[in-house]
């Protein structure tokens, strides 16, 4: 059983114990620890630290010379020595190849998020929506133009 499946089983036990959803992940985690269903392993602690460092790097921004607030650190997942790993770099000093990979991979994440959103909306409309279908527009051109126009005014 995978680690995710183990965590999903903990959530099921949480529900079976009479704790209703919706609940916060924090509440479920506290319950799981109190029940002795989860305890940190060294690898879990290291993974958690790495996740927090990655989150902090994602949130580091600067204002560029044109006044845009931009992310400084970017991740690219590449294969090195036969193993795949996520490497972070600062866009001000990163090789162009790193940035090209990072930007393409981020774009693919956005496409994946849009695909999942489309599936979710389609499933809701077909299986749970008693009213008019909810509509999603996946062309973000006008959204981006509007954001940039508002930024130019500010």
């Amino acid at each position: 059983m995978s680690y995710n499946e183990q965590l999903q089983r903990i959530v099921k036990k949480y529900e079976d114990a009479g704790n209703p959803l919706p609940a916060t992940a924090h509440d479920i985690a506290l319950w799981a620890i109190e029940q002795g269903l989860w305890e940190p392993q060294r690898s879990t602690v290291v993974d958690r630290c790495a996740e927090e460092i990655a989150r902090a790097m994602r949130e580091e921004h600067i204002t560029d010379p044109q006044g845009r607030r931009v992310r400084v650190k970017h991740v690219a997942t590449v294969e090195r020595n036969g193993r795949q790993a996520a490497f972070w770099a600062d866009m001000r000093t990163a090789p162009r190849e790193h940035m090209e990979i990072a930007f393409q991979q981020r774009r693919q994440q956005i496409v994946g998020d849009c695909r999942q959103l489309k599936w979710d909306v389609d499933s809701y409309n077909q299986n749970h929506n008693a009213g008019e279908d909810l509509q999603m527009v996946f062309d973000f051109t006008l959204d981006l133009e509007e954001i940039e126009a508002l930024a130019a005014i500010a």
Side-chain angles (χ1 to χ4, degrees):
M1 173 184 329
S2 75
Y3 184 63
N4 277 341
E5 289 169 332
Q6 291 173 30
L7 295 175
Q8 291 164 356
R9 184 173 281 182
I10 287 173
V11 174
K12 178 76 171 110
K13 287 180 180 182
Y14 175 86
E15 292 178 283
D16 291 346
N19 301 298
L21 294 181
T24 67
H26 188 270
D27 290 339
I28 297 168
L30 182 61
W31 178 86
I33 291 166
E34 288 172 350
Q35 299 300 310
L37 299 173
W38 186 90
E39 61 182 49
Q41 305 286 321
R42 176 165 169 72
S43 63
T44 303
V45 173
V46 171
D47 289 346
R48 175 69 185 266
C49 181
E51 288 170 12
E52 291 178 8
I53 288 170
R55 184 179 328 110
M57 286 190 288
R58 274 191 299 276
E59 293 176 8
E60 184 179 351
H61 291 81
I62 59 167
T63 301
D64 74 5
Q66 294 75 28
R68 294 176 292 233
R69 187 170 184 269
V70 296
R71 185 187 292 181
V72 175
K73 303 288 193 299
H74 295 268
V75 65
T77 301
V78 295
E79 187 175 313
R80 289 201 185 150
N81 302 323
R83 301 185 75 178
Q84 203 173 49
F87 292 90
W88 287 86
D90 187 307
M91 70 182 259
R92 295 168 292 191
T93 57
R96 184 181 195 285
E97 178 184 3
H98 178 92
M99 295 308 300
E100 187 174 13
I101 293 167
F103 291 150
Q104 267 309 319
Q105 289 175 348
R106 231 166 108 200
R107 185 179 188 284
Q108 287 305 311
Q109 289 171 349
I110 293 166
V111 169
D113 285 345
C114 288
R115 180 193 67 197
Q116 186 63 58
L117 176 58
K118 182 181 184 320
W119 287 351
D120 295 345
V121 171
D122 289 350
S123 179
Y124 173 77
N125 284 335
Q126 293 171 348
N127 301 301
H128 306 288
N129 186 4
E132 188 176 323
D133 279 0
L134 298 176
Q135 300 295 318
M136 281 292 126
V137 176
F138 293 98
D139 178 351
F140 299 103
T141 304
L142 294 177
D143 301 85
L144 293 170
E145 289 173 359
E146 181 179 338
I147 290 168
E148 288 182 356
L150 288 173
I153 295 170

